[in-house]
Amino acid sequence: MKLYTTISSLQVAIKTDRAKGLKVGFVPTMGALHEGHLSLVEQAGTSSDIVVVSIFVNPNQFNDSNDLANYPRTMEEDLKLLSTVRCDYVFYPDVEEIYPVPDTRQFSFGILENVMEGKFRPGHFNGVAQVVSRLFEIVDPDLAYFGRKDFQQLAVIKNLVLQLQLRVEIVACDIVREPDGLAMSSRNKLLLPEYREVAPLIYRTLMQAKSLSATSSLENVKEYVLDEISRTNLLTAEYFEIVDDTNLQSIKSWNEPGIKVGCIAVFAGKIRLIDNLIF
Ligand code: PAF
């Protein structure tokens, strides 16, 4: 595993591999790695010849400066974890390397960005698009791996690839959960013990809601989820939506065609957690 902090040194290595006809797989991350990230890296290892992982806490995608300041940074542990799987190159640039001049590009994702995360975190997806397009330009991967936990992000990135007509293939990877069901997230590291204890209620509630959906109305299922979450005063739901998996719009009836996904954002104290489940 080699560590690069500059674009030019990373590109020299990748160019040599590409000249040998090797397929480059890319896993962009913001560090604070966990088993979920490792599963993306492992998946990259099975379908690509060279695995590149980037670790870059992208300031442009934080709409809250406290959230950016508190975002966990655990570089040493991250490198240790990456050494347990097949990772060829780690790209660890600083902000000036990625943004030598401020990135003022404005992307538009239409209806995909006006709901859920896009609604509650204004500017977030524009920042994600800025960094992901920049990283794609630098790495020029054949395949890039993203987790389904960030379900809306995945849809936005697929749309970005279409808009920019990039050749990269986006690979969606399943959510990895703690034994108690909590979706793995870098932010879990920030949960105080009492919040960590109640956080699995989020997934349990999604599972119950899915069972209920066989016999209950859409409204009742939504009400059930919000009521369940508010049963502990340690959790506050920001939204719960059941959406169509391609256009991300709230469904109006169970009879609508297509795959339906229950998406939730919950505050556990100051820490915001998201999760989703296919219904
Ligand atoms: O999902 C993340 O960790 C980030 O949004 C990403 C895709 C690495 C861009 O900073």
Side-chain angles (χ1 to χ4, degrees):
M1 185 169 85
K2 290 191 182 132
L3 177 67
Y4 297 101
T5 56
T6 64
I7 295 171
S8 53
S9 56
L10 175 73
Q11 284 182 332
V12 167
I14 293 177
K15 199 174 165 194
T16 313
D17 297 324
R18 214 180 276 298
K20 293 180 197 147
L22 300 179
K23 211 191 304 176
V24 177
F26 178 43
V27 182
T29 81
M30 297 207 298
L33 302 183
H34 49 70
E35 289 294 324
H37 293 112
L38 291 191
S39 81
L40 303 182
V41 180
E42 277 170 340
Q43 221 155 311
T46 61
S47 46
S48 302
D49 304 308
I50 294 292
V51 179
V52 183
V53 175
S54 64
I55 297 180
F56 177 66
V57 181
N58 172 36
N60 293 12
Q61 72 187 74
F62 286 81
N63 54 319
D64 171 349
S65 53
N66 279 332
D67 192 20
L68 172 61
N70 294 328
Y71 199 82
R73 289 157 172 90
T74 56
M75 186 55 178
E76 259 178 46
E77 284 166 44
D78 291 350
L79 291 179
K80 269 191 211 142
L81 275 181
L82 286 175
S83 69
T84 65
V85 289
R86 190 167 80 70
C87 167
D88 299 292
Y89 306 143
V90 181
F91 181 44
Y92 181 55
D94 63 18
V95 174
E96 287 69 37
E97 191 71 7
I98 296 296
Y99 302 119
V101 291
D103 192 337
T104 54
R105 289 175 298 163
Q106 285 297 324
F107 293 88
S108 172
F109 299 103
I111 56 172
L112 295 182
E113 68 182 343
N114 297 330
V115 293
M116 301 190 289
E117 295 304 285
K119 178 169 161 194
F120 287 96
R121 301 182 68 191
H124 169 65
F125 287 124
N126 200 60
V128 169
Q130 288 176 342
V131 80
V132 170
S133 58
R134 181 85 179 108
L135 289 167
F136 281 173
E137 175 187 293
I138 293 165
V139 178
D140 187 20
D142 296 279
L143 298 132
Y145 302 79
F146 292 87
R148 286 202 168 91
K149 185 176 78 70
D150 294 299
F151 167 72
Q152 191 172 5
Q153 169 173 279
L154 192 57
V156 163
I157 288 171
K158 284 182 180 165
N159 189 281
L160 175 76
V161 167
L162 286 178
Q163 284 188 35
L164 301 180
Q165 299 189 19
L166 303 178
R167 65 184 195 93
V168 60
E169 183 187 325
I170 301 300
V171 183
C173 303
D174 285 343
I175 298 177
V176 180
R177 297 183 181 279
E178 299 285 355
D180 60 15
L182 178 64
M184 291 210 179
S185 162
S186 302
R187 291 175 203 276
N188 293 353
K189 292 187 169 67
L190 302 173
L191 290 171
L192 294 172
E194 62 267 37
Y195 292 104
R196 174 63 189 81
E197 205 171 301
V198 296
L201 179 66
I202 301 169
Y203 180 57
R204 278 208 304 276
T205 305
L206 286 179
M207 294 282 282
Q208 288 291 345
K210 179 177 174 161
S211 312
L212 260 184
S213 69
T215 50
S216 295
S217 72
L218 200 53
E219 288 67 33
N220 285 350
V221 171
K222 284 188 176 180
E223 204 177 297
Y224 168 81
V225 169
L226 297 176
D227 284 353
E228 275 301 294
I229 297 294
S230 66
R231 262 150 51 96
T232 156
N233 56 11
L234 294 174
L235 300 179
T236 311
E238 188 163 51
Y239 66 77
F240 171 66
E241 301 287 351
I242 302 172
V243 303
D244 174 276
D245 86 319
T246 50
N247 64 25
L248 309 191
Q249 303 307 293
S250 291
I251 60 163
K252 305 274 178 297
S253 136
W254 292 126
N255 296 331
E256 285 179 29
I259 296 172
K260 298 159 185 76
V261 185
C263 300
I264 192 163
V266 172
F267 276 99
K270 292 199 168 76
I271 309 306
R272 192 171 177 282
L273 303 172
I274 58 171
D275 200 351
N276 66 79
L277 187 69
I278 296 182
F279 270 46

